[in-house]
Amino acid sequence: MRREEGGPAGPLEAALPRPNSAARALRCGRFVLSLDRPLLMGVVNVTPDSFSDGGRLLAPGAAVAHAERLIEEGADLIDIGGESSRPGAAPVSAERELARIAPVLEALNGGAVPLSVDTVKPEVMREAIRLGAAMINDISALREPGALAAVAASDAAICLMHMQGEPRTMQASPRYTDVVDEVKRFLAERAAAAIAAGIARERIVVDPGFGFGKTVEHNRALLRALGAIAELGYPVLAGLSRKSTLGWITGRPAGERMPASIAAALLAAERGARILRVHDVAATRDALAVWLWLTGDGQKILRD
Ligand code: HH2
């Protein structure tokens, strides 16, 4: 068990940020991912109804081919989803969700890149981990009964995301007194709960959940203050790719939001995001390479 300097730490203490110790690596199943530069998480939605790519990858072969393409393009992780979380999306049973993602996991498991599964259901988490998932990406931050235990029993990483309400109704009337403070407190509490359940802090990622029970103005406040979320000491994941806030800003439909998505990804990286969840890996990779060249030591950092 990990001990803090100065004696044993309780779960709440263990969840507190460590001064000057931004996370440098993420433990993720059999992988240890360096966080020295922002990582690219490529999105593969095996759903009929995802907001920007629904229906395109419902056949397992198409989803696998798309994931392989994203890896070629430079994805550091692949996030596989079998249930859409867009506002108003209909819920899906665990059986159906698993039937969508299992063949994709089976085909991709054993590769060079960790596989993440985007799910809120403990039974899907357990089976996904059994099939090789190295990360669980939970938009409800392990609040379903049994979800904490499902991840704790594994060596998978966990992304804890903030959402106000639930996907069906979350955009009806999001309300906060201080969105940044409330999201930050929620993420600290969920990280403490995860640690108390036995999940090592080196396996934890936090995410403010852009667009999940948030207005354009809430998203703006969170992006501006992403550094405050990073102060929690966990790597921050930012998912802004193609989201409706970018549609509001640019007036463009989901399929035409790539330039805006790249700008948002770089602004998130600039403010401390360490994982960028994106649909367009190749284009974001190039933009990130320029940003890294400027902000780093002038060397090429991304692999060819
Ligand atoms: N956004 C979406 C889904 N999962 N997970 C995290 N951690 N952060 C996010 O911002 C996030 C997420 C929504 O995007 P997408 O997967 O493209 O659409 P859909 O939920 O309709 O499948």
Side-chain angles (χ1 to χ4, degrees), residues 40-45 53 56-57 63-79 113 242 278-283 285 303:
L40 291 175
M41 171 185 261
V43 179
V44 176
N45 284 319
D53 56 358
R56 269 204 324 119
L57 307 174
V64 172
H66 186 65
E68 282 168 346
R69 202 183 100 202
L70 297 185
I71 293 167
E72 280 262 325
E73 291 177 354
D76 301 292
L77 303 106
I78 293 291
D79 190 38
V113 162
R242 301 184 185 171
V278 301
H279 298 85
D280 301 292
V281 169
R285 175 203 177 277
R303 66 183 146 87

Side-chain angles (χ1 to χ4, degrees), residues 63-285:
V64 172
H66 186 65
E68 282 168 346
R69 202 183 100 202
L70 297 185
I71 293 167
E72 280 262 325
E73 291 177 354
D76 301 292
L77 303 106
I78 293 291
D79 190 38
I80 304 163
E83 176 175 43
S84 171
S85 53
R86 75 180 158 74
V92 169
S93 71
E95 293 70 34
R96 174 156 302 183
E97 199 180 327
L98 270 171
R100 289 176 181 167
I101 64 168
V104 184
L105 276 171
E106 278 164 340
L108 295 171
N109 187 23
V113 162
L115 306 174
S116 159
V117 167
D118 188 343
T119 187
V120 300
K121 300 188 189 78
E123 55 270 59
V124 175
M125 293 174 187
R126 276 194 296 274
E127 184 61 7
I129 290 166
R130 197 184 68 76
L131 293 172
M135 179 166 180
I136 297 296
N137 172 25
D138 183 356
I139 62 165
S140 77
L142 299 181
R143 281 179 293 165
E144 285 289 314
L148 279 166
V151 175
S154 75
D155 57 2
I158 174 69
C159 177
L160 301 166
M161 196 198 80
H162 176 274
M163 166 168 60
Q164 187 178 83
E166 52 169 78
R168 215 167 32 82
T169 53
M170 65 191 179
Q171 290 305 98
S173 60
R175 270 201 190 88
Y176 302 85
T177 307
D178 178 336
V179 66
V180 175
D181 187 58
E182 283 167 57
V183 167
K184 188 173 173 179
R185 277 173 196 278
F186 170 88
L187 294 174
E189 278 165 23
R190 295 314 299 159
I195 290 170
I199 300 171
R201 62 178 299 136
E202 294 78 11
R203 291 163 56 197
I204 297 175
V205 174
V206 296
D207 177 351
F210 291 105
F212 285 85
K214 279 133 196 143
T215 62
V216 168
E217 200 43 45
H218 295 142
N219 289 327
R220 180 169 179 267
L222 284 166
L223 183 51
R224 287 173 71 108
L226 210 58
I229 309 277
E231 278 170 13
L232 287 171
Y234 302 98
V236 173
L237 184 151
L240 286 142
S241 185
R242 301 184 185 171
K243 285 198 173 159
S244 63
T245 289
L246 305 180
W248 182 87
I249 297 167
T250 61
R252 297 192 186 279
E256 295 173 16
R257 294 178 192 158
M258 185 168 78
S261 300
I262 292 171
L266 288 194
L267 292 168
E270 186 86 39
R271 284 159 179 74
R274 273 295 171 259
I275 304 182
L276 306 169
R277 184 179 183 277
V278 301
H279 298 85
D280 301 292
V281 169
T284 316
R285 175 203 177 277

